[in-house]
Amino acid sequence: MAKYYYSPTKQKILLLLVAGISMGLSRSPRTNWHIIKNLSKEWRDVDRRTLRRVLREFKYDRLVNFKDEDDGTVSIVINERGKRFAMRYNPDQIEMAKPVRWDKKWRIVVFDIPEKKRTARDALRKKLKKLGFYELQKSTWVFPYECSNEINFLAEFFEVQQHVRVLTVEKMSMDADLKLHFDLS
């Protein structure tokens, strides 16, 4: 499978298709309105033109199939290849690599996400905890191994990338509790 990079919007569309959200496209504004009002709020955030363009791109990449329905709509169905590909963008599938030897550097994730993005902030905190990060403070987390790619992906996925920073620290005072927590010698 070719290596593609999709924007957060495209990733979201792929993941929603995998989740079983059915989407039909129609040229009729009345039919579109009926579809839109029954969609989850994630779909509503996607511009109709962008959605059409992205779905055509997915069809070209052989990630989805288009099916003409009797009522004149077109149903978009994600195929097996699309499901496998979408798993790359699933934040629930992210795992942190643990190298054989620790490079004696700490990775510190800091963020200051505004209150209006509270849901994303809480989701990021929950994900960091699930991935095994240690919470130093509410918005400061530490991890002993390289994690920039994973954190950048999560920040993009939750659409808070401008509020999240990853620091690599060679020395940290009073880190004995961290070494103990991560079982580092």
Side-chain angles (χ1 to χ4, degrees):
M1 186 178 305
K3 288 205 173 212
Y4 295 102
Y5 171 77
Y6 286 131
S7 69
T9 299
K10 290 178 186 178
Q11 294 170 19
K12 191 179 291 185
I13 291 170
L14 254 181
L15 289 172
L16 288 169
L17 286 169
V18 167
I21 303 294
S22 60
M23 180 65 200
L25 293 179
S26 169
R27 298 234 181 257
S28 162
R30 178 183 231 168
T31 304
N32 275 340
W33 176 248
H34 178 71
I35 292 167
I36 291 168
K37 93 177 172 178
N38 291 312
L39 293 176
S40 66
K41 89 176 173 178
E42 287 84 4
W43 277 109
R44 292 184 199 144
D45 294 341
V46 179
D47 174 74
R48 299 287 100 186
R49 281 190 185 136
T50 302
L51 180 61
R52 277 191 167 87
R53 181 183 51 75
V54 167
L55 290 173
R56 277 193 305 270
E57 183 179 331
F58 287 168
K59 183 179 180 187
Y60 178 78
D61 292 341
R62 298 186 334 263
L63 302 176
V64 298
N65 298 321
F66 284 30
K67 180 182 174 196
D68 292 321
E69 300 292 345
D70 294 335
D71 63 0
T73 61
V74 177
S75 292
I76 291 89
V77 181
I78 191 160
N79 58 33
E80 285 305 311
R81 183 175 190 266
K83 288 176 186 174
R84 283 192 314 271
F85 191 79
M87 288 302 107
R88 295 180 183 178
Y89 296 119
N90 188 339
D92 293 332
Q93 300 294 321
I94 291 178
E95 293 180 6
M96 304 306 294
K98 185 177 178 181
V100 177
R101 299 188 91 193
W102 179 43
D103 63 2
K104 302 195 189 269
K105 296 178 185 176
W106 295 105
R107 279 54 177 204
I108 304 191
V109 178
V110 294
F111 53 89
D112 188 15
I113 301 171
E115 186 61 28
K116 68 182 179 181
K117 293 191 175 228
R118 177 185 205 152
T119 305
R121 184 179 64 214
D122 293 344
L124 180 60
R125 275 194 189 115
K126 185 177 178 181
K127 189 63 187 169
L128 290 172
K129 183 173 183 134
K130 186 176 177 184
L131 289 172
F133 283 72
Y134 182 86
E135 184 178 16
L136 287 176
Q137 295 179 358
K138 270 289 202 207
S139 298
T140 306
W141 296 74
V142 67
F143 197 70
Y145 309 113
E146 180 54 47
C147 60
S148 297
N149 290 338
E150 292 84 354
I151 297 304
N152 290 336
F153 168 75
L154 289 171
E156 273 190 52
F157 183 82
F158 293 123
E159 298 177 355
V160 293
Q161 58 270 34
Q162 67 271 25
H163 306 291
V164 178
R165 303 283 180 265
V166 179
L167 312 169
T168 302
V169 177
E170 292 188 23
K171 285 187 175 187
M172 184 186 311
S173 63
M174 302 186 315
D175 66 350
D177 60 333
L178 294 174
K179 288 178 182 175
L180 187 62
H181 175 80
F182 289 106
D183 196 25
L184 304 168
S185 29

